[in-house]
Every structure is written in structure tokens, then in C-alpha cells.
Amino acid sequence: MLNIAKNLCKNAHMEDWDSYKFILAVGRHGSLSAAARSLSVNHTTVSRRITAIEEKMNVRLFDRIAKNFVPTDAGHKAIASSERIEKEVFALRREIASKDSEIAGPLQITVADQLYQTYIADIVHSFMALYPQIDITVRTASENFNLSKREADVAIRVGDQPDTHLFGRRIMRQNRCFYISDTYLSHLQATDGTIDKSTNIKFINHVEWSSTILDELKKVYPGCNEILKTDAMIVLLTAVKKGVGVSRLPCFLGESDPDLVQLPGCTPTKNKDIWALTHPDLKNVSRIRLFMQFVSDRLKNHTDIFLGKG
């Protein structure tokens, strides 16, 4: 029987040691284009590397069916072996990093872009000024970067409970509320400053929200109706600022914008907590521990803003 793991090691030159990444990417995504996106390379590179691996190992790993790459029996074995290699590589990297006691070196942070723009950016810049020997990379994206794979060292995440395999702390609780622009509020208010409960208030919805959010608003303003739906928080926030309608925002976004106020009659409600997380193997790395404590201390200075009391 073909020993795929042995052939991977025996037939690969040192400069080709990362071949397992290409086998895994194609195996996990099933196509060249999707695999290329996951590796941040072009699809011709993936095709060339897979062909080269197959020629070196003298075995076909994937059947090409239309645009799909379907693993052969040998391919399934190669994928399984590559997954084991991947785990070993990442475990070795974490073990090496855990011995690092210097307040210097690389530090990768992942955080939601809105949170970075409003508060984390200033905190990171202050940290950089105090510790110039730490080389910081900030990654903002909608997906969660994998801490086990060292895609990030520290994650500032929003959630009810963090992944159980991660180490960290809850930085703070936060609230959310319905917000409206000063301009749109003035349009809705009567001369005495009140808003008629039956007023047709325009609501901006998010595609991932359930109908209960609109129902929550209708309890206060029965005449409200959905005017717009979006899948991006930045679009939702911009629409509220432009006076298109009202929407529910994390209080740290609504309170930090001078053009927005809480919709009269609505009070803040509990939102998901904010956490600072890392992999357990890295919890004693000095620069990681220092940064997590620094972010926690500085962010807590804005507790009232995050609770909607600003």
C-alpha cells in the first residue's frame, strides 16, 4: 500500500516543504480558484504545484472533473497526512513562540473593523509608542482568523462565550440601542419635541437579523416599517447617518458619532460581550500578555459609551 506520508517527506525537497498547504487547500475547497483564494495566490500556481507534487510522488491525487478537483484514494490519504503535518507544524510554532519572553517581535491582532476604527486604533497606537520594538500587524475581516494556526496572536472578539479551547478574558459588557440622526429626528418631531407613536418611522434592517428586532421597535412605534436591508454594518451605519432611517447599533458606534442619538422611547439592551483571546500555548508570551492587559485597561475607560450611557 502506498505510504502517502512517507512519500510526502521523502520526495519533497526542502524548498517544497509547504506542498501540503496546496494539497490541503485543493482538498478542502474542491477547485483551483477557491484554493488559490484561501492561499492568496493565483490559480495557475496551485495547478502547477499540484501537478509537480503528483509527478514527484508518481501518483494521481485528484481527478479533474469539469472545474472540480475530486480526491482519488491516494488523494484522500495525502489530505489526511497533510492535516497531520499541518497540526504538527502549528503546534511546533506555538511551542517555539511560547518560550519568547522578550518585549519585542511580531504581534498579529485581529479585530472587527468598526471596533478598530472607533477605539482600538487609538489604543494600538498608544501601545506602539510605548513598545516600539513590537512589530504589530492588524487584520480586520468578517471571518474569524484561526488562532491555532497562528493566523493571529490576539483576537478582540464580540460574543456570548469564546471558543472553549482559547484563553482570554472578558474585557467588558456592552449594550445596543436604536439610533437616529439629528436630521431625521428633527423631521419626525412635532413642535413640542415629541414623536407620534403612529409615525411611519423608516427602519434599516440587516439580512442576518430576525424579525424580532423590527417587532421590538414596533412595540414603541407601531407605525414603523422596513425601508432598507443590508448585509454590511458600514452600509447600515452610513444609511442611519444620512437620515435614511433608524436602526439598531452597538452603543459604542452610536454614542461615539456626534450626528446620532438614541431614538426617543428606546432604551439600551444587552449586546454580546467583548473578549481578548489568544491560544493557551501563547498566554505566557510577554508581548501577547502585555497587549491583552493594555487593551483591557484602556477599553474599560469607555465603559459608559459601550453601555449607552455616554
Side-chain angles (χ1 to χ4, degrees):
M1 183 180 290
L2 179 64
N3 189 324
I4 299 298
K6 185 179 294 184
N7 279 1
L8 272 175
C9 297
K10 184 176 76 172
N11 294 331
H13 298 297
M14 286 301 293
E15 63 268 22
D16 297 328
W17 183 241
D18 65 344
S19 295
Y20 73 90
K21 296 179 185 176
F22 292 87
I23 296 173
L24 275 179
V26 174
R28 286 168 173 167
H29 298 283
S31 72
L32 290 181
S33 57
R37 285 193 297 271
S38 72
L39 295 170
S40 299
V41 298
N42 59 59
H43 72 280
T44 56
T45 298
V46 179
S47 178
R48 185 174 63 251
R49 292 298 296 269
I50 292 296
T51 299
I53 294 166
E54 290 179 326
E55 290 176 353
K56 268 181 188 175
M57 297 176 65
N58 194 30
V59 66
R60 192 172 185 83
L61 300 177
F62 298 95
D63 288 326
R64 282 70 165 170
I65 302 175
K67 294 183 179 181
N68 297 319
F69 275 51
V70 180
T72 62
D73 287 343
H76 283 296
K77 292 183 176 70
I79 292 168
S81 295
S82 297
E83 287 176 337
R84 289 194 293 271
I85 293 171
E86 180 186 55
K87 290 178 181 177
E88 290 293 328
V89 169
F90 290 134
L92 177 61
R93 289 178 181 175
R94 292 195 304 270
E95 183 178 355
I96 293 171
S98 68
K99 310 302 182 184
D100 189 350
S101 60
E102 293 186 40
I103 309 297
L107 178 63
Q108 292 199 75
I109 305 158
T110 176
V111 58
D113 50 5
Q114 292 91 5
L115 188 55
Y116 182 80
Q117 291 167 9
T118 49
Y119 291 99
I120 300 298
D122 287 339
I123 294 174
V124 169
H125 295 164
S126 297
F127 185 82
M128 291 169 60
L130 288 173
Y131 305 100
Q133 300 305 312
I134 297 179
D135 183 18
I136 293 182
T137 299
V138 178
R139 307 181 72 176
T140 62
S142 56
E143 72 271 16
N144 284 337
F145 289 103
N146 193 315
L147 300 184
S148 297
K149 296 181 179 181
R150 295 300 304 280
E151 292 176 348
D153 298 311
V154 177
I156 310 300
R157 288 183 179 164
V158 176
D160 292 322
Q161 287 292 334
D163 295 339
T164 55
H165 71 281
L166 297 179
F167 170 83
R169 67 187 70 191
R170 178 168 51 208
I171 298 179
M172 64 195 313
R173 302 186 185 278
Q174 64 163 334
N175 286 334
R176 59 197 176 192
C177 195
F178 290 96
Y179 284 88
I180 185 171
S181 69
D182 286 328
T183 303
Y184 188 35
L185 178 60
S186 298
H187 174 74
L188 296 177
Q189 287 176 321
T191 54
D192 61 357
T194 61
I195 301 176
D196 190 322
K197 298 297 182 181
S198 63
T199 298
N200 179 16
I201 295 179
K202 300 173 182 178
F203 175 64
I204 305 165
N205 209 343
H206 194 287
V207 295
E208 295 183 359
W209 291 348
S210 67
S211 60
T212 57
I213 296 175
L214 180 56
D215 293 340
E216 183 182 332
L217 181 59
K218 283 187 173 181
K219 290 180 180 178
V220 183
Y221 295 100
C224 70
N225 68 93
E226 182 181 298
I227 187 67
L228 176 68
K229 185 177 289 187
T230 178
D231 65 347
M233 182 60 70
I234 187 62
V235 175
L236 191 152
L237 176 62
T238 301
V240 175
K241 286 170 61 67
K242 295 292 185 181
V244 175
V246 307
S247 192
R248 194 179 70 177
L249 299 172
C251 288
F252 77 84
L253 279 180
E255 299 297 318
S256 61
D257 195 307
D259 297 327
L260 302 182
V261 295
Q262 294 179 14
L263 181 64
C266 297
T267 56
T269 57
K270 186 181 183 305
N271 200 0
K272 295 179 179 179
D273 300 331
I274 299 177
W275 302 78
L277 304 167
T278 189
H279 193 279
D281 291 351
L282 303 178
K283 66 182 180 180
N284 292 321
V285 175
S286 297
R287 61 182 177 275
I288 291 176
R289 186 174 67 250
L290 185 65
F291 178 77
M292 291 174 66
Q293 185 64 56
F294 189 88
V295 171
S296 179
D297 291 343
R298 295 298 180 95
L299 208 55
K300 286 178 180 177
N301 292 333
H302 305 287
T303 297
D304 284 351
I305 298 292
F306 279 77
L307 292 178
K309 300 177 181 179

